[in-house]
Short mmCIF file of all heavy atoms in Angstrom, two decimals:
data_model
loop_
_atom_site.label_atom_id
_atom_site.label_comp_id
_atom_site.label_asym_id
_atom_site.label_seq_id
_atom_site.Cartn_x
_atom_site.Cartn_y
_atom_site.Cartn_z
N TYR A 278 -75.88 -75.94 76.48
CA TYR A 278 -74.48 -75.55 77.05
C TYR A 278 -73.69 -74.91 75.68
O TYR A 278 -73.21 -73.89 75.69
CB TYR A 278 -73.78 -76.55 77.65
CG TYR A 278 -72.46 -76.07 78.23
CD1 TYR A 278 -72.35 -75.49 79.58
CD2 TYR A 278 -71.26 -76.19 77.54
CE1 TYR A 278 -71.05 -75.16 80.08
CE2 TYR A 278 -70.00 -75.76 78.08
CZ TYR A 278 -70.05 -75.20 79.40
OH TYR A 278 -68.78 -74.94 79.89
N LEU A 279 -73.73 -75.80 74.70
CA LEU A 279 -73.03 -75.47 73.46
C LEU A 279 -73.67 -74.16 72.83
O LEU A 279 -73.12 -73.32 72.09
CB LEU A 279 -72.93 -76.64 72.54
CG LEU A 279 -72.09 -77.87 72.95
CD1 LEU A 279 -72.33 -79.01 72.00
CD2 LEU A 279 -70.75 -77.39 72.92
N GLN A 280 -75.03 -74.14 72.97
CA GLN A 280 -75.63 -72.99 72.30
C GLN A 280 -75.24 -71.72 72.87
O GLN A 280 -74.96 -70.69 72.33
CB GLN A 280 -77.27 -73.20 72.38
CG GLN A 280 -78.03 -72.09 71.76
CD GLN A 280 -79.52 -72.42 71.98
OE1 GLN A 280 -79.96 -72.83 72.88
NE2 GLN A 280 -80.25 -71.88 70.90
N SER A 281 -75.27 -71.74 74.23
CA SER A 281 -74.74 -70.54 75.07
C SER A 281 -73.36 -70.35 74.65
O SER A 281 -73.03 -69.14 74.42
CB SER A 281 -74.94 -70.79 76.57
OG SER A 281 -76.12 -70.99 76.86
N LEU A 282 -72.43 -71.22 74.53
CA LEU A 282 -71.01 -71.05 74.17
C LEU A 282 -70.89 -70.45 72.79
O LEU A 282 -70.14 -69.48 72.68
CB LEU A 282 -70.26 -72.35 74.31
CG LEU A 282 -68.77 -72.39 74.13
CD1 LEU A 282 -68.20 -73.39 74.99
CD2 LEU A 282 -68.33 -72.79 72.64
N ILE A 283 -71.69 -70.89 71.85
CA ILE A 283 -71.61 -70.34 70.54
C ILE A 283 -72.08 -68.84 70.47
O ILE A 283 -71.43 -68.06 69.71
CB ILE A 283 -72.38 -71.20 69.55
CG1 ILE A 283 -71.52 -72.57 69.39
CG2 ILE A 283 -72.52 -70.65 68.13
CD1 ILE A 283 -72.43 -73.71 68.66
N ILE A 284 -73.23 -68.60 71.07
CA ILE A 284 -73.66 -67.23 71.17
C ILE A 284 -72.76 -66.28 71.73
O ILE A 284 -72.43 -65.20 71.19
CB ILE A 284 -75.02 -67.19 71.89
CG1 ILE A 284 -76.22 -67.95 71.12
CG2 ILE A 284 -75.45 -65.80 72.12
CD1 ILE A 284 -77.43 -68.06 71.91
N PHE A 285 -72.11 -66.66 72.86
CA PHE A 285 -71.12 -65.82 73.58
C PHE A 285 -69.93 -65.48 72.61
O PHE A 285 -69.52 -64.40 72.47
CB PHE A 285 -70.51 -66.57 74.72
CG PHE A 285 -69.35 -65.97 75.43
CD1 PHE A 285 -69.54 -64.77 76.11
CD2 PHE A 285 -68.13 -66.44 75.13
CE1 PHE A 285 -68.53 -64.14 76.68
CE2 PHE A 285 -67.00 -65.84 75.84
CZ PHE A 285 -67.26 -64.70 76.57
N HIS A 286 -69.37 -66.56 71.89
CA HIS A 286 -68.29 -66.31 70.96
C HIS A 286 -68.73 -65.54 69.74
O HIS A 286 -67.85 -64.66 69.23
CB HIS A 286 -67.79 -67.67 70.42
CG HIS A 286 -66.86 -68.23 71.52
ND1 HIS A 286 -67.40 -69.29 72.57
CD2 HIS A 286 -65.50 -68.19 71.91
CE1 HIS A 286 -66.45 -69.57 73.32
NE2 HIS A 286 -65.29 -69.05 72.98
N LEU A 287 -69.88 -65.73 69.18
CA LEU A 287 -70.29 -64.87 68.13
C LEU A 287 -70.33 -63.34 68.51
O LEU A 287 -69.86 -62.50 67.68
CB LEU A 287 -71.74 -65.30 67.63
CG LEU A 287 -71.68 -66.58 66.79
CD1 LEU A 287 -73.22 -66.86 66.41
CD2 LEU A 287 -70.99 -66.32 65.44
N PHE A 288 -71.01 -63.06 69.70
CA PHE A 288 -71.05 -61.63 70.04
C PHE A 288 -69.68 -61.17 70.36
O PHE A 288 -69.30 -59.99 69.85
CB PHE A 288 -71.90 -61.46 71.38
CG PHE A 288 -71.94 -60.26 71.89
CD1 PHE A 288 -72.87 -59.33 71.42
CD2 PHE A 288 -71.19 -59.88 73.06
CE1 PHE A 288 -72.81 -58.04 71.91
CE2 PHE A 288 -71.17 -58.52 73.56
CZ PHE A 288 -72.08 -57.64 73.13
N GLY A 289 -68.78 -61.89 71.12
CA GLY A 289 -67.46 -61.29 71.29
C GLY A 289 -66.65 -61.13 70.09
O GLY A 289 -65.79 -60.27 69.87
N GLY A 290 -66.82 -62.16 69.15
CA GLY A 290 -65.99 -62.04 67.91
C GLY A 290 -66.44 -60.90 67.02
O GLY A 290 -65.49 -60.17 66.41
N ILE A 291 -67.78 -60.61 66.97
CA ILE A 291 -68.15 -59.40 66.10
C ILE A 291 -67.65 -58.24 66.59
O ILE A 291 -67.20 -57.28 65.95
CB ILE A 291 -69.77 -59.34 66.06
CG1 ILE A 291 -70.30 -60.52 65.13
CG2 ILE A 291 -70.20 -58.06 65.43
CD1 ILE A 291 -71.74 -60.68 65.26
N LEU A 292 -67.64 -57.93 68.01
CA LEU A 292 -67.11 -56.77 68.75
C LEU A 292 -65.75 -56.65 68.55
O LEU A 292 -65.26 -55.54 68.08
CB LEU A 292 -67.43 -56.83 70.19
CG LEU A 292 -67.03 -55.68 71.05
CD1 LEU A 292 -67.72 -54.39 70.56
CD2 LEU A 292 -67.27 -55.97 72.49
N LEU A 293 -64.95 -57.68 68.63
CA LEU A 293 -63.51 -57.58 68.40
C LEU A 293 -63.13 -57.24 66.93
O LEU A 293 -62.28 -56.44 66.61
CB LEU A 293 -62.85 -58.89 68.92
CG LEU A 293 -61.30 -59.01 68.60
CD1 LEU A 293 -60.54 -57.88 69.34
CD2 LEU A 293 -60.80 -60.28 69.20
N PHE A 294 -63.82 -57.96 66.01
CA PHE A 294 -63.56 -57.69 64.66
C PHE A 294 -63.84 -56.11 64.37
O PHE A 294 -62.96 -55.49 63.65
CB PHE A 294 -64.56 -58.47 63.77
CG PHE A 294 -64.39 -58.14 62.25
CD1 PHE A 294 -63.43 -58.72 61.51
CD2 PHE A 294 -65.29 -57.34 61.63
CE1 PHE A 294 -63.24 -58.54 60.11
CE2 PHE A 294 -65.13 -57.06 60.27
CZ PHE A 294 -64.21 -57.64 59.62
N LEU A 295 -64.85 -55.49 64.76
CA LEU A 295 -65.12 -54.11 64.56
C LEU A 295 -64.08 -53.17 65.18
O LEU A 295 -63.67 -52.31 64.54
CB LEU A 295 -66.55 -53.78 65.18
CG LEU A 295 -67.66 -54.37 64.36
CD1 LEU A 295 -69.08 -54.04 65.19
CD2 LEU A 295 -67.72 -53.96 63.02
N ILE A 296 -63.60 -53.58 66.30
CA ILE A 296 -62.45 -52.81 66.96
C ILE A 296 -61.21 -52.76 66.12
O ILE A 296 -60.52 -51.79 65.90
CB ILE A 296 -62.21 -53.31 68.42
CG1 ILE A 296 -63.46 -53.05 69.36
CG2 ILE A 296 -60.93 -52.72 68.96
CD1 ILE A 296 -63.25 -53.63 70.70
N LEU A 297 -60.87 -54.03 65.62
CA LEU A 297 -59.62 -54.16 64.90
C LEU A 297 -59.73 -53.50 63.51
O LEU A 297 -58.94 -52.88 62.96
CB LEU A 297 -59.23 -55.60 64.73
CG LEU A 297 -58.96 -56.28 66.03
CD1 LEU A 297 -58.73 -57.92 65.70
CD2 LEU A 297 -57.91 -55.80 66.79
N ARG A 298 -60.99 -53.66 62.88
CA ARG A 298 -61.22 -53.10 61.57
C ARG A 298 -61.14 -51.56 61.54
O ARG A 298 -60.73 -50.96 60.58
CB ARG A 298 -62.41 -53.69 61.03
CG ARG A 298 -62.77 -53.37 59.55
CD ARG A 298 -61.93 -54.26 58.69
NE ARG A 298 -62.34 -53.94 57.27
CZ ARG A 298 -61.60 -53.09 56.32
NH1 ARG A 298 -60.66 -52.35 56.92
NH2 ARG A 298 -62.02 -52.93 55.19
N TYR A 299 -61.85 -50.90 62.64
CA TYR A 299 -61.91 -49.42 62.58
C TYR A 299 -61.22 -48.92 63.79
O TYR A 299 -61.66 -47.80 64.35
CB TYR A 299 -63.46 -49.17 62.73
CG TYR A 299 -64.22 -49.90 61.52
CD1 TYR A 299 -65.02 -50.86 61.69
CD2 TYR A 299 -64.09 -49.22 60.41
CE1 TYR A 299 -65.79 -51.32 60.68
CE2 TYR A 299 -64.79 -49.75 59.19
CZ TYR A 299 -65.54 -50.85 59.36
OH TYR A 299 -66.27 -51.37 58.32
N GLN A 300 -60.03 -49.39 64.09
CA GLN A 300 -59.31 -48.86 65.27
C GLN A 300 -58.81 -47.36 64.95
O GLN A 300 -58.58 -46.66 65.91
CB GLN A 300 -58.05 -49.61 65.58
CG GLN A 300 -56.94 -49.64 64.56
CD GLN A 300 -55.73 -50.41 65.00
OE1 GLN A 300 -55.66 -50.83 66.06
NE2 GLN A 300 -54.87 -50.60 64.05
N ASN A 301 -58.69 -46.98 63.77
CA ASN A 301 -58.31 -45.59 63.41
C ASN A 301 -59.46 -44.53 63.73
O ASN A 301 -59.19 -43.52 63.94
CB ASN A 301 -58.25 -45.45 61.91
CG ASN A 301 -59.38 -45.94 61.09
OD1 ASN A 301 -59.76 -47.04 61.18
ND2 ASN A 301 -59.88 -45.03 60.23
N LEU A 302 -60.75 -45.08 64.05
CA LEU A 302 -61.68 -44.20 64.53
C LEU A 302 -61.86 -44.13 66.02
O LEU A 302 -62.70 -43.39 66.52
CB LEU A 302 -63.04 -44.55 63.88
CG LEU A 302 -63.06 -44.70 62.31
CD1 LEU A 302 -64.47 -45.14 61.88
CD2 LEU A 302 -62.82 -43.36 61.76
N LEU A 303 -61.07 -44.99 66.60
CA LEU A 303 -61.13 -45.19 68.10
C LEU A 303 -60.06 -44.27 68.90
O LEU A 303 -59.04 -44.11 68.29
CB LEU A 303 -61.16 -46.70 68.51
CG LEU A 303 -62.25 -47.44 67.78
CD1 LEU A 303 -62.14 -48.98 68.08
CD2 LEU A 303 -63.76 -46.95 68.36
N PRO A 304 -60.23 -44.12 70.13
CA PRO A 304 -59.24 -43.44 71.07
C PRO A 304 -57.96 -44.16 71.24
O PRO A 304 -57.91 -45.38 70.90
CB PRO A 304 -60.01 -43.08 72.15
CG PRO A 304 -61.00 -44.07 72.41
CD PRO A 304 -61.47 -44.45 71.00
N MET A 305 -57.01 -43.62 71.96
CA MET A 305 -55.75 -44.10 72.44
C MET A 305 -54.91 -44.81 71.13
O MET A 305 -54.56 -45.88 71.23
CB MET A 305 -55.99 -45.34 73.47
CG MET A 305 -56.76 -44.73 74.68
SD MET A 305 -57.23 -46.14 75.85
CE MET A 305 -55.69 -46.68 76.30
N ASN A 306 -54.87 -43.96 70.22
CA ASN A 306 -54.16 -44.38 68.96
C ASN A 306 -53.09 -43.35 68.68
O ASN A 306 -53.22 -42.65 67.64
CB ASN A 306 -55.23 -44.52 67.81
CG ASN A 306 -54.50 -45.14 66.45
OD1 ASN A 306 -53.39 -45.47 66.58
ND2 ASN A 306 -55.23 -45.13 65.43
N SER A 307 -52.04 -43.16 69.45
CA SER A 307 -51.15 -42.22 69.44
C SER A 307 -50.29 -42.20 68.14
O SER A 307 -49.67 -41.28 67.76
CB SER A 307 -50.20 -42.10 70.55
OG SER A 307 -49.66 -43.46 70.75
N LEU A 308 -50.12 -43.50 67.58
CA LEU A 308 -49.25 -43.68 66.33
C LEU A 308 -50.09 -43.46 65.04
O LEU A 308 -49.64 -43.57 63.96
CB LEU A 308 -48.65 -45.05 66.40
CG LEU A 308 -47.63 -45.23 67.46
CD1 LEU A 308 -47.12 -46.75 67.27
CD2 LEU A 308 -46.45 -44.32 67.27
N LYS A 309 -51.41 -43.14 65.26
CA LYS A 309 -52.29 -42.92 64.11
C LYS A 309 -52.36 -44.18 63.15
O LYS A 309 -52.17 -44.02 61.99
CB LYS A 309 -51.96 -41.69 63.16
CG LYS A 309 -51.73 -40.39 64.13
CD LYS A 309 -52.93 -40.04 64.85
CE LYS A 309 -52.84 -38.75 65.69
NZ LYS A 309 -54.02 -38.38 66.42
N LEU A 310 -52.47 -45.30 63.81
CA LEU A 310 -52.52 -46.52 63.03
C LEU A 310 -53.85 -46.69 62.43
O LEU A 310 -54.90 -46.30 62.82
CB LEU A 310 -52.22 -47.68 63.99
CG LEU A 310 -50.91 -47.60 64.76
CD1 LEU A 310 -50.90 -48.88 65.75
CD2 LEU A 310 -49.77 -47.82 63.67
N VAL A 311 -53.84 -47.28 61.19
CA VAL A 311 -54.95 -47.62 60.31
C VAL A 311 -55.71 -48.90 60.82
O VAL A 311 -54.95 -49.63 61.52
CB VAL A 311 -54.71 -47.65 58.93
CG1 VAL A 311 -54.11 -46.20 58.36
CG2 VAL A 311 -53.71 -48.71 58.53
N GLY A 312 -56.79 -49.05 60.48
CA GLY A 312 -57.55 -50.38 60.76
C GLY A 312 -56.93 -51.44 59.93
O GLY A 312 -56.35 -51.28 58.81
N MET A 313 -57.09 -52.67 60.44
CA MET A 313 -56.68 -53.88 59.76
C MET A 313 -57.52 -54.19 58.52
O MET A 313 -58.62 -53.89 58.49
CB MET A 313 -56.67 -55.14 60.72
CG MET A 313 -55.61 -55.22 61.80
SD MET A 313 -55.78 -56.71 62.71
CE MET A 313 -54.22 -56.71 63.57
#
């Protein structure tokens, strides 16, 4: 159970980090904000 929980959070965390870091390359950014 803990193994599944950790794998799930690792995958979700990596995806969210990439979105925040490179949001300037992604759509729906009307204020032209840079990545974190």
Side-chain angles (χ1 to χ4, degrees):
Y278 187 90
L279 290 175
Q280 184 181 32
S281 296
L282 185 146
I283 291 170
I284 291 172
F285 171 76
H286 283 90
L287 282 175
F288 177 79
I291 292 170
L292 179 61
L293 178 56
F294 177 83
L295 293 175
I296 290 174
L297 298 175
R298 187 78 175 93
Y299 301 105
Q300 68 174 354
N301 57 302
L302 304 177
L303 299 172
M305 300 174 66
N306 186 7
S307 58
L308 294 179
K309 308 300 180 184
L310 300 173
V311 299
M313 282 185 169

